[in-house]
Tab-separated table of all heavy atoms in Angstrom:
chain	number	residue	atom	x	y	z
A	1	VAL	N	-66.988	-102.414	14.331
A	1	VAL	CA	-67.538	-103.605	13.699
A	1	VAL	C	-66.886	-104.825	14.369
A	1	VAL	O	-65.635	-104.965	14.311
A	1	VAL	CB	-67.343	-103.675	12.245
A	1	VAL	CG1	-67.931	-104.956	11.633
A	1	VAL	CG2	-68.107	-102.500	11.560
A	2	THR	N	-67.665	-105.774	14.814
A	2	THR	CA	-67.050	-107.016	15.445
A	2	THR	C	-67.220	-108.164	14.351
A	2	THR	O	-68.249	-108.370	13.921
A	2	THR	CB	-67.873	-107.435	16.749
A	2	THR	OG1	-67.644	-106.369	17.642
A	2	THR	CG2	-67.263	-108.627	17.352
A	3	ASP	N	-66.106	-108.789	14.151
A	3	ASP	CA	-66.095	-109.949	13.319
A	3	ASP	C	-66.189	-111.234	14.145
A	3	ASP	O	-65.678	-111.246	15.280
A	3	ASP	CB	-64.804	-109.999	12.509
A	3	ASP	CG	-64.801	-108.869	11.454
A	3	ASP	OD1	-65.793	-108.505	10.950
A	3	ASP	OD2	-63.615	-108.440	11.100
A	4	TRP	N	-66.956	-112.203	13.550
A	4	TRP	CA	-67.129	-113.388	14.391
A	4	TRP	C	-66.656	-114.572	13.423
A	4	TRP	O	-66.796	-114.606	12.215
A	4	TRP	CB	-68.623	-113.589	14.627
A	4	TRP	CG	-69.047	-112.564	15.582
A	4	TRP	CD1	-69.661	-111.256	15.286
A	4	TRP	CD2	-69.130	-112.703	17.007
A	4	TRP	NE1	-69.968	-110.760	16.439
A	4	TRP	CE2	-69.643	-111.520	17.524
A	4	TRP	CE3	-68.729	-113.731	17.909
A	4	TRP	CZ2	-69.764	-111.280	18.919
A	4	TRP	CZ3	-68.885	-113.499	19.318
A	4	TRP	CH2	-69.343	-112.283	19.749
A	5	THR	N	-66.132	-115.622	14.054
A	5	THR	CA	-65.756	-116.771	13.428
A	5	THR	C	-66.191	-117.923	14.318
A	5	THR	O	-66.932	-117.748	15.331
A	5	THR	CB	-64.272	-116.843	13.031
A	5	THR	OG1	-64.007	-117.898	12.347
A	5	THR	CG2	-63.461	-116.753	14.296
A	6	ALA	N	-65.658	-119.188	13.960
A	6	ALA	CA	-65.947	-120.270	14.929
A	6	ALA	C	-64.685	-120.610	15.577
A	6	ALA	O	-63.509	-120.781	15.037
A	6	ALA	CB	-66.464	-121.451	14.114
A	7	CYS	N	-64.771	-121.003	16.888
A	7	CYS	CA	-63.614	-121.497	17.712
A	7	CYS	C	-63.018	-122.724	17.009
A	7	CYS	O	-63.760	-123.611	16.770
A	7	CYS	CB	-63.984	-121.718	19.025
A	7	CYS	SG	-62.708	-122.365	20.080
A	8	PRO	N	-61.767	-122.734	16.736
A	8	PRO	CA	-61.097	-123.926	16.098
A	8	PRO	C	-61.111	-125.111	17.093
A	8	PRO	O	-61.000	-126.271	16.665
A	8	PRO	CB	-59.634	-123.442	15.957
A	8	PRO	CG	-59.628	-121.981	16.002
A	8	PRO	CD	-60.810	-121.680	16.927
A	9	GLU	N	-61.305	-124.862	18.377
A	9	GLU	CA	-61.331	-125.971	19.368
A	9	GLU	C	-62.671	-126.444	19.679
A	9	GLU	O	-62.856	-127.728	19.654
A	9	GLU	CB	-60.657	-125.500	20.632
A	9	GLU	CG	-60.396	-126.579	21.725
A	9	GLU	CD	-59.434	-126.246	22.743
A	9	GLU	OE1	-58.487	-125.551	22.517
A	9	GLU	OE2	-59.663	-126.647	23.913
A	10	CYS	N	-63.557	-125.647	19.854
A	10	CYS	CA	-64.917	-126.163	20.357
A	10	CYS	C	-66.054	-125.790	19.382
A	10	CYS	O	-67.169	-126.268	19.562
A	10	CYS	CB	-65.248	-125.531	21.730
A	10	CYS	SG	-65.454	-123.808	21.808
A	11	GLY	N	-65.682	-124.938	18.376
A	11	GLY	CA	-66.770	-124.603	17.413
A	11	GLY	C	-67.838	-123.500	17.800
A	11	GLY	O	-68.722	-123.256	17.076
A	12	LEU	N	-67.699	-123.049	19.040
A	12	LEU	CA	-68.571	-122.000	19.475
A	12	LEU	C	-68.238	-120.677	18.773
A	12	LEU	O	-67.139	-120.540	18.192
A	12	LEU	CB	-68.440	-121.770	21.038
A	12	LEU	CG	-68.960	-122.893	21.904
A	12	LEU	CD1	-68.665	-122.594	23.362
A	12	LEU	CD2	-70.512	-122.968	21.703
A	13	PRO	N	-69.210	-119.768	18.699
A	13	PRO	CA	-68.881	-118.484	18.127
A	13	PRO	C	-67.687	-117.806	18.840
A	13	PRO	O	-67.655	-117.837	19.987
A	13	PRO	CB	-70.224	-117.666	18.322
A	13	PRO	CG	-71.292	-118.711	18.348
A	13	PRO	CD	-70.627	-119.884	19.135
A	14	ALA	N	-66.790	-117.205	17.967
A	14	ALA	CA	-65.669	-116.583	18.590
A	14	ALA	C	-65.471	-115.184	18.039
A	14	ALA	O	-65.734	-115.005	16.776
A	14	ALA	CB	-64.369	-117.498	18.235
A	15	GLU	N	-65.204	-114.256	18.881
A	15	GLU	CA	-65.004	-112.912	18.469
A	15	GLU	C	-63.553	-112.597	17.983
A	15	GLU	O	-62.632	-113.042	18.546
A	15	GLU	CB	-65.346	-111.935	19.669
A	15	GLU	CG	-65.197	-110.476	19.297
A	15	GLU	CD	-65.526	-109.626	20.473
A	15	GLU	OE1	-65.936	-110.187	21.490
A	15	GLU	OE2	-65.276	-108.372	20.325
A	16	VAL	N	-63.504	-111.887	16.883
A	16	VAL	CA	-62.182	-111.506	16.457
A	16	VAL	C	-61.822	-110.151	17.149
A	16	VAL	O	-62.410	-109.148	16.704
A	16	VAL	CB	-62.159	-111.352	14.873
A	16	VAL	CG1	-60.708	-110.923	14.380
A	16	VAL	CG2	-62.513	-112.710	14.142
A	17	ALA	N	-60.989	-110.251	18.088
A	17	ALA	CA	-60.718	-109.150	18.943
A	17	ALA	C	-59.713	-108.193	18.224
A	17	ALA	O	-59.660	-106.959	18.474
A	17	ALA	CB	-60.182	-109.581	20.269
A	18	ASP	N	-58.767	-108.715	17.395
A	18	ASP	CA	-57.729	-107.891	16.814
A	18	ASP	C	-57.180	-108.631	15.590
A	18	ASP	O	-57.405	-109.810	15.486
A	18	ASP	CB	-56.534	-107.744	17.854
A	18	ASP	CG	-55.606	-106.661	17.396
A	18	ASP	OD1	-55.985	-105.814	16.512
A	18	ASP	OD2	-54.513	-106.561	17.924
A	19	ARG	N	-56.690	-107.793	14.702
A	19	ARG	CA	-56.189	-108.321	13.480
A	19	ARG	C	-54.720	-107.834	13.259
A	19	ARG	O	-54.518	-107.042	12.289
A	19	ARG	CB	-57.004	-107.982	12.264
A	19	ARG	CG	-58.323	-108.795	12.242
A	19	ARG	CD	-59.160	-108.244	10.959
A	19	ARG	NE	-60.411	-108.975	10.954
A	19	ARG	CZ	-60.631	-110.088	10.221
A	19	ARG	NH1	-59.574	-110.670	9.592
A	19	ARG	NH2	-61.840	-110.716	10.243
A	20	PRO	N	-53.799	-108.300	14.064
A	20	PRO	CA	-52.424	-107.786	13.896
A	20	PRO	C	-51.864	-108.399	12.749
A	20	PRO	O	-52.053	-109.526	12.327
A	20	PRO	CB	-51.748	-108.229	15.188
A	20	PRO	CG	-52.469	-109.518	15.552
A	20	PRO	CD	-53.963	-109.226	15.205
A	21	VAL	N	-50.861	-107.552	12.012
A	21	VAL	CA	-50.159	-108.073	10.919
A	21	VAL	C	-48.826	-108.520	11.433
A	21	VAL	O	-48.064	-107.646	11.950
A	21	VAL	CB	-50.002	-107.005	9.823
A	21	VAL	CG1	-49.089	-107.547	8.668
A	21	VAL	CG2	-51.375	-106.658	9.226
A	22	LEU	N	-48.418	-109.715	11.344
A	22	LEU	CA	-47.230	-110.226	11.987
A	22	LEU	C	-46.286	-110.828	10.827
A	22	LEU	O	-46.727	-111.339	9.847
A	22	LEU	CB	-47.533	-111.386	12.894
A	22	LEU	CG	-48.528	-111.014	14.059
A	22	LEU	CD1	-48.834	-112.225	14.885
A	22	LEU	CD2	-47.996	-109.949	14.958
A	23	PRO	N	-45.011	-110.720	11.043
A	23	PRO	CA	-44.091	-111.258	10.063
A	23	PRO	C	-44.069	-112.731	10.219
A	23	PRO	O	-44.264	-113.374	11.192
A	23	PRO	CB	-42.714	-110.672	10.521
A	23	PRO	CG	-42.920	-110.378	11.890
A	23	PRO	CD	-44.349	-110.063	12.086
A	24	SER	N	-43.944	-113.444	9.057
A	24	SER	CA	-43.817	-114.851	9.004
A	24	SER	C	-42.747	-115.259	7.971
A	24	SER	O	-42.144	-114.388	7.348
A	24	SER	CB	-45.107	-115.565	8.641
A	24	SER	OG	-45.441	-115.379	7.251
A	25	THR	N	-42.532	-116.483	7.758
A	25	THR	CA	-41.576	-116.990	6.780
A	25	THR	C	-41.874	-116.468	5.365
A	25	THR	O	-40.932	-116.337	4.575
A	25	THR	CB	-41.425	-118.458	6.800
A	25	THR	OG1	-42.678	-119.020	6.598
A	25	THR	CG2	-40.914	-118.917	8.108
A	26	GLY	N	-43.113	-116.216	5.070
A	26	GLY	CA	-43.474	-115.788	3.689
A	26	GLY	C	-43.775	-114.311	3.649
A	26	GLY	O	-44.241	-113.865	2.652
A	27	GLY	N	-43.382	-113.547	4.627
A	27	GLY	CA	-43.641	-112.187	4.611
A	27	GLY	C	-44.753	-111.804	5.674
A	27	GLY	O	-45.175	-112.665	6.450
A	28	ALA	N	-45.196	-110.566	5.680
A	28	ALA	CA	-46.215	-110.092	6.653
A	28	ALA	C	-47.478	-110.757	6.356
A	28	ALA	O	-47.920	-110.828	5.156
A	28	ALA	CB	-46.356	-108.631	6.537
A	29	VAL	N	-48.134	-111.312	7.375
A	29	VAL	CA	-49.327	-112.072	7.244
A	29	VAL	C	-50.349	-111.452	8.253
A	29	VAL	O	-50.067	-111.235	9.451
A	29	VAL	CB	-49.271	-113.513	7.520
A	29	VAL	CG1	-50.577	-114.218	7.464
A	29	VAL	CG2	-48.333	-114.121	6.426
A	30	GLU	N	-51.638	-111.158	7.756
A	30	GLU	CA	-52.619	-110.756	8.689
A	30	GLU	C	-53.096	-111.880	9.595
A	30	GLU	O	-53.457	-112.931	9.072
A	30	GLU	CB	-53.816	-110.089	7.933
A	30	GLU	CG	-54.887	-109.521	8.917
A	30	GLU	CD	-56.085	-109.021	8.135
A	30	GLU	OE1	-56.638	-109.861	7.401
A	30	GLU	OE2	-56.378	-107.920	8.296
A	31	HIS	N	-53.021	-111.662	10.896
A	31	HIS	CA	-53.525	-112.691	11.785
A	31	HIS	C	-54.792	-112.190	12.410
A	31	HIS	O	-55.195	-111.034	12.462
A	31	HIS	CB	-52.443	-112.889	12.902
A	31	HIS	CG	-51.358	-113.736	12.439
A	31	HIS	ND1	-50.473	-113.311	11.387
A	31	HIS	CD2	-50.825	-114.917	12.830
A	31	HIS	CE1	-49.503	-114.197	11.230
A	31	HIS	NE2	-49.743	-115.278	12.056
A	32	ALA	N	-55.492	-113.146	13.132
A	32	ALA	CA	-56.648	-112.843	13.875
A	32	ALA	C	-56.450	-113.316	15.293
A	32	ALA	O	-56.123	-114.352	15.525
A	32	ALA	CB	-57.918	-113.459	13.187
A	33	ARG	N	-56.779	-112.424	16.247
A	33	ARG	CA	-56.740	-112.839	17.635
A	33	ARG	C	-58.163	-113.074	17.965
A	33	ARG	O	-59.058	-112.127	18.034
A	33	ARG	CB	-56.133	-111.702	18.471
A	33	ARG	CG	-55.870	-112.060	19.921
A	33	ARG	CD	-55.435	-110.881	20.747
A	33	ARG	NE	-54.371	-110.107	20.095
A	33	ARG	CZ	-53.122	-110.391	20.192
A	33	ARG	NH1	-52.641	-111.418	20.830
A	33	ARG	NH2	-52.224	-109.608	19.574
A	34	VAL	N	-58.541	-114.260	18.328
A	34	VAL	CA	-59.932	-114.677	18.536
A	34	VAL	C	-60.117	-115.140	20.036
A	34	VAL	O	-59.164	-115.667	20.556
A	34	VAL	CB	-60.386	-115.754	17.549
A	34	VAL	CG1	-60.195	-115.317	16.150
A	34	VAL	CG2	-59.704	-117.014	17.845
A	35	CYS	N	-61.332	-114.872	20.555
A	35	CYS	CA	-61.652	-115.285	21.835
A	35	CYS	C	-63.080	-115.845	21.843
A	35	CYS	O	-63.948	-115.103	21.481
A	35	CYS	CB	-61.574	-114.127	22.829
A	35	CYS	SG	-62.029	-114.574	24.553
A	36	CYS	N	-63.225	-117.126	22.105
A	36	CYS	CA	-64.509	-117.756	21.996
A	36	CYS	C	-65.430	-117.620	23.202
A	36	CYS	O	-64.962	-117.169	24.236
A	36	CYS	CB	-64.311	-119.181	21.554
A	36	CYS	SG	-64.374	-120.429	22.830
A	37	ALA	N	-66.616	-118.141	23.039
A	37	ALA	CA	-67.550	-118.055	24.180
A	37	ALA	C	-67.114	-118.866	25.396
A	37	ALA	O	-67.661	-118.699	26.427
A	37	ALA	CB	-68.924	-118.452	23.584
A	38	ASP	N	-66.262	-119.775	25.065
A	38	ASP	CA	-65.750	-120.606	26.242
A	38	ASP	C	-64.358	-120.250	26.684
A	38	ASP	O	-63.628	-121.021	27.278
A	38	ASP	CB	-65.775	-122.099	25.790
A	38	ASP	CG	-65.890	-123.099	26.938
A	38	ASP	OD1	-66.365	-122.637	28.008
A	38	ASP	OD2	-65.364	-124.190	26.876
A	39	GLN	N	-63.940	-119.039	26.330
A	39	GLN	CA	-62.711	-118.380	26.651
A	39	GLN	C	-61.470	-119.058	26.138
A	39	GLN	O	-60.423	-118.846	26.603
A	39	GLN	CB	-62.603	-118.419	28.311
A	39	GLN	CG	-63.838	-117.735	28.900
A	39	GLN	CD	-63.862	-116.259	28.507
A	39	GLN	OE1	-62.973	-115.456	28.533
A	39	GLN	NE2	-64.969	-115.933	28.027
A	40	HIS	N	-61.629	-119.768	25.032
A	40	HIS	CA	-60.457	-120.202	24.322
A	40	HIS	C	-59.901	-119.017	23.554
A	40	HIS	O	-60.685	-118.250	23.002
A	40	HIS	CB	-60.781	-121.307	23.372
A	40	HIS	CG	-61.291	-122.603	23.982
A	40	HIS	ND1	-62.526	-123.153	23.641
A	40	HIS	CD2	-60.745	-123.341	25.010
A	40	HIS	CE1	-62.648	-124.209	24.307
A	40	HIS	NE2	-61.756	-124.403	25.238
A	41	ARG	N	-58.547	-118.891	23.524
A	41	ARG	CA	-57.908	-117.799	22.730
A	41	ARG	C	-56.897	-118.365	21.756
A	41	ARG	O	-56.217	-119.247	22.091
A	41	ARG	CB	-57.233	-116.921	23.759
A	41	ARG	CG	-58.246	-116.092	24.650
A	41	ARG	CD	-57.483	-115.317	25.763
A	41	ARG	NE	-58.485	-114.609	26.538
A	41	ARG	CZ	-58.928	-113.389	26.338
A	41	ARG	NH1	-58.462	-112.836	25.322
A	41	ARG	NH2	-59.796	-112.840	27.197
A	42	PHE	N	-57.037	-117.863	20.593
A	42	PHE	CA	-56.151	-118.257	19.504
A	42	PHE	C	-55.532	-117.078	18.804
A	42	PHE	O	-56.150	-115.975	18.747
A	42	PHE	CB	-56.872	-119.133	18.505
A	42	PHE	CG	-57.349	-120.407	19.092
A	42	PHE	CD1	-58.598	-120.516	19.697
A	42	PHE	CD2	-56.434	-121.533	19.106
A	42	PHE	CE1	-59.042	-121.718	20.226
A	42	PHE	CE2	-57.016	-122.747	19.662
A	42	PHE	CZ	-58.159	-122.829	20.292
A	43	LEU	N	-54.356	-117.241	18.142
A	43	LEU	CA	-53.737	-116.235	17.305
A	43	LEU	C	-53.438	-117.022	16.045
A	43	LEU	O	-52.533	-117.809	16.138
A	43	LEU	CB	-52.667	-115.461	17.998
A	43	LEU	CG	-51.996	-114.440	17.061
A	43	LEU	CD1	-52.860	-113.302	16.793
A	43	LEU	CD2	-50.734	-113.895	17.736
A	44	MET	N	-54.003	-116.691	14.964
A	44	MET	CA	-53.746	-117.535	13.773
A	44	MET	C	-53.916	-116.675	12.491
A	44	MET	O	-54.627	-115.620	12.582
A	44	MET	CB	-54.832	-118.694	13.686
A	44	MET	CG	-56.144	-118.204	13.375
A	44	MET	SD	-57.386	-119.557	13.328
A	44	MET	CE	-57.653	-119.649	15.030
A	45	PRO	N	-53.392	-117.114	11.501
A	45	PRO	CA	-53.521	-116.267	10.159
A	45	PRO	C	-55.013	-116.255	9.864
A	45	PRO	O	-55.850	-117.222	9.992
A	45	PRO	CB	-52.780	-117.121	9.185
A	45	PRO	CG	-51.763	-117.895	9.896
A	45	PRO	CD	-52.441	-118.162	11.189
A	46	THR	N	-55.470	-115.069	9.392
A	46	THR	CA	-56.960	-114.919	9.080
A	46	THR	C	-57.407	-115.885	8.019
A	46	THR	O	-58.604	-116.358	8.089
A	46	THR	CB	-57.175	-113.476	8.607
A	46	THR	OG1	-56.381	-113.144	7.569
A	46	THR	CG2	-57.070	-112.450	9.636
A	47	GLU	N	-56.489	-116.261	7.089
A	47	GLU	CA	-56.899	-117.157	6.051
A	47	GLU	C	-57.200	-118.606	6.662
A	47	GLU	O	-57.786	-119.410	5.876
A	47	GLU	CB	-55.887	-117.326	4.939
A	47	GLU	CG	-54.520	-117.930	5.493
A	47	GLU	CD	-53.486	-117.843	4.292
A	47	GLU	OE1	-53.663	-117.010	3.335
A	47	GLU	OE2	-52.522	-118.590	4.346
A	48	GLN	N	-56.804	-118.889	7.891
A	48	GLN	CA	-57.077	-120.153	8.447
A	48	GLN	C	-58.280	-120.132	9.426
A	48	GLN	O	-58.590	-121.182	10.078
A	48	GLN	CB	-55.833	-120.654	9.287
A	48	GLN	CG	-54.619	-120.969	8.346
A	48	GLN	CD	-53.416	-121.507	9.164
A	48	GLN	OE1	-53.491	-121.913	10.245
A	48	GLN	NE2	-52.283	-121.498	8.484
A	49	LEU	N	-58.937	-118.992	9.447
A	49	LEU	CA	-60.089	-118.991	10.276
A	49	LEU	C	-61.156	-120.052	9.722
A	49	LEU	O	-61.274	-120.260	8.543
A	49	LEU	CB	-60.710	-117.651	10.210
A	49	LEU	CG	-60.007	-116.541	10.961
A	49	LEU	CD1	-60.694	-115.226	10.742
A	49	LEU	CD2	-59.908	-116.842	12.395
A	50	ALA	N	-61.841	-120.673	10.679
A	50	ALA	CA	-62.681	-121.868	10.298
A	50	ALA	C	-63.792	-121.451	9.272
A	50	ALA	O	-63.797	-122.111	8.219
A	50	ALA	CB	-63.293	-122.422	11.535
A	51	VAL	N	-64.683	-120.520	9.575
A	51	VAL	CA	-65.678	-120.257	8.701
A	51	VAL	C	-65.920	-118.705	8.721
A	51	VAL	O	-65.463	-118.061	9.632
A	51	VAL	CB	-66.971	-120.976	9.148
A	51	VAL	CG1	-66.848	-122.433	9.045
A	51	VAL	CG2	-67.341	-120.551	10.616
A	52	SER	N	-66.743	-118.257	7.822
A	52	SER	CA	-67.073	-116.892	7.835
A	52	SER	C	-68.150	-116.637	8.925
A	52	SER	O	-68.823	-117.581	9.301
A	52	SER	CB	-67.589	-116.428	6.457
A	52	SER	OG	-68.751	-117.065	6.170
A	53	ALA	N	-68.369	-115.390	9.264
A	53	ALA	CA	-69.351	-114.978	10.374
A	53	ALA	C	-70.724	-115.486	9.923
A	53	ALA	O	-71.515	-115.926	10.782
A	53	ALA	CB	-69.305	-113.515	10.564
A	54	ALA	N	-71.091	-115.409	8.627
A	54	ALA	CA	-72.405	-115.868	8.194
A	54	ALA	C	-72.766	-117.297	8.522
A	54	ALA	O	-73.848	-117.663	8.569
A	54	ALA	CB	-72.551	-115.556	6.749
A	55	GLU	N	-71.673	-118.138	8.587
A	55	GLU	CA	-71.924	-119.484	8.819
A	55	GLU	C	-71.965	-119.935	10.280
A	55	GLU	O	-72.410	-121.032	10.569
A	55	GLU	CB	-70.772	-120.323	8.167
A	55	GLU	CG	-70.786	-120.020	6.597
A	55	GLU	CD	-69.588	-120.787	6.006
A	55	GLU	OE1	-69.642	-122.071	5.881
A	55	GLU	OE2	-68.646	-120.086	5.599
A	56	VAL	N	-71.497	-119.047	11.158
A	56	VAL	CA	-71.508	-119.387	12.562
A	56	VAL	C	-72.808	-119.709	13.078
A	56	VAL	O	-73.742	-118.815	12.974
A	56	VAL	CB	-70.772	-118.352	13.383
A	56	VAL	CG1	-70.848	-118.597	14.882
A	56	VAL	CG2	-69.315	-118.130	12.993
A	57	GLY	N	-73.048	-120.885	13.708
A	57	GLY	CA	-74.317	-121.132	14.331
A	57	GLY	C	-75.317	-121.708	13.467
A	57	GLY	O	-76.399	-122.154	13.943
A	58	LEU	N	-75.124	-121.689	12.217
A	58	LEU	CA	-76.175	-122.201	11.284
A	58	LEU	C	-76.175	-123.749	11.223
A	58	LEU	O	-77.248	-124.296	11.238
A	58	LEU	CB	-75.983	-121.626	9.851
A	58	LEU	CG	-76.137	-120.120	9.760
A	58	LEU	CD1	-75.857	-119.730	8.346
A	58	LEU	CD2	-77.415	-119.674	10.140
A	59	GLU	N	-75.010	-124.304	11.269
A	59	GLU	CA	-74.895	-125.735	11.335
A	59	GLU	C	-73.621	-126.145	11.898
A	59	GLU	O	-72.741	-125.337	12.047
A	59	GLU	CB	-75.081	-126.306	9.868
A	59	GLU	CG	-74.121	-125.756	8.911
A	59	GLU	CD	-74.514	-126.223	7.520
A	59	GLU	OE1	-74.878	-127.433	7.362
A	59	GLU	OE2	-74.406	-125.486	6.478
A	60	ALA	N	-73.461	-127.391	12.211
A	60	ALA	CA	-72.159	-127.896	12.825
A	60	ALA	C	-71.016	-127.689	11.633
A	60	ALA	O	-71.256	-127.877	10.466
A	60	ALA	CB	-72.251	-129.322	13.222
A	61	PRO	N	-69.917	-127.274	12.139
A	61	PRO	CA	-68.809	-127.122	11.226
A	61	PRO	C	-68.428	-128.459	10.515
A	61	PRO	O	-68.631	-129.535	11.307
A	61	PRO	CB	-67.674	-126.592	12.062
A	61	PRO	CG	-67.970	-127.001	13.373
A	61	PRO	CD	-69.418	-126.935	13.544
A	62	PRO	N	-68.037	-128.471	9.320
A	62	PRO	CA	-67.669	-129.705	8.684
A	62	PRO	C	-66.475	-130.395	9.308
A	62	PRO	O	-65.494	-129.697	9.768
A	62	PRO	CB	-67.429	-129.352	7.260
A	62	PRO	CG	-66.947	-127.921	7.350
A	62	PRO	CD	-67.842	-127.322	8.507
A	63	GLU	N	-66.466	-131.745	9.397
A	63	GLU	CA	-65.296	-132.516	9.884
A	63	GLU	C	-64.161	-132.362	8.819
A	63	GLU	O	-64.394	-132.425	7.641
A	63	GLU	CB	-65.671	-133.896	10.101
A	63	GLU	CG	-66.764	-134.111	11.242
A	63	GLU	CD	-66.178	-133.838	12.594
A	63	GLU	OE1	-65.020	-133.946	12.764
A	63	GLU	OE2	-67.018	-133.376	13.473
A	64	GLU	N	-63.024	-132.127	9.407
A	64	GLU	CA	-61.878	-132.102	8.494
A	64	GLU	C	-61.145	-133.319	8.432
A	64	GLU	O	-60.656	-133.814	9.486
A	64	GLU	CB	-60.920	-130.865	8.953
A	64	GLU	CG	-61.561	-129.513	8.624
A	64	GLU	CD	-60.524	-128.426	8.830
A	64	GLU	OE1	-59.335	-128.751	8.687
A	64	GLU	OE2	-60.869	-127.289	9.028
A	65	GLU	N	-61.063	-133.934	7.338
A	65	GLU	CA	-60.268	-135.255	7.112
A	65	GLU	C	-58.825	-134.784	6.996
A	65	GLU	O	-58.477	-133.998	6.212
A	65	GLU	CB	-60.808	-135.978	5.958
A	65	GLU	CG	-62.323	-136.262	6.070
A	65	GLU	CD	-62.509	-137.309	7.084
A	65	GLU	OE1	-61.604	-138.004	7.567
A	65	GLU	OE2	-63.697	-137.451	7.611
A	66	PRO	N	-57.939	-135.536	7.591
A	66	PRO	CA	-56.510	-135.241	7.467
A	66	PRO	C	-55.972	-135.668	5.981
A	66	PRO	O	-56.646	-136.605	5.445
A	66	PRO	CB	-55.806	-136.071	8.527
A	66	PRO	CG	-56.809	-137.139	8.891
A	66	PRO	CD	-58.160	-136.532	8.628
B	1	LIG	ZN1	-63.635	-122.501	22.129
């Protein structure tokens, strides 16, 4: 099963290639290794993934205000 999310950089659909569990300051955290359609690669906590797969491509991702 391939999981999809949105690239944090360009917003294109991104494939979740791996979900390694890595140690962090708060304990072990599940990360997602993603590779987008424009070859951007990221490794980030799964909880920080931009959107769920169902939302990819349906509309522009919301702008995040700081
Ligand atoms: Zn990208």
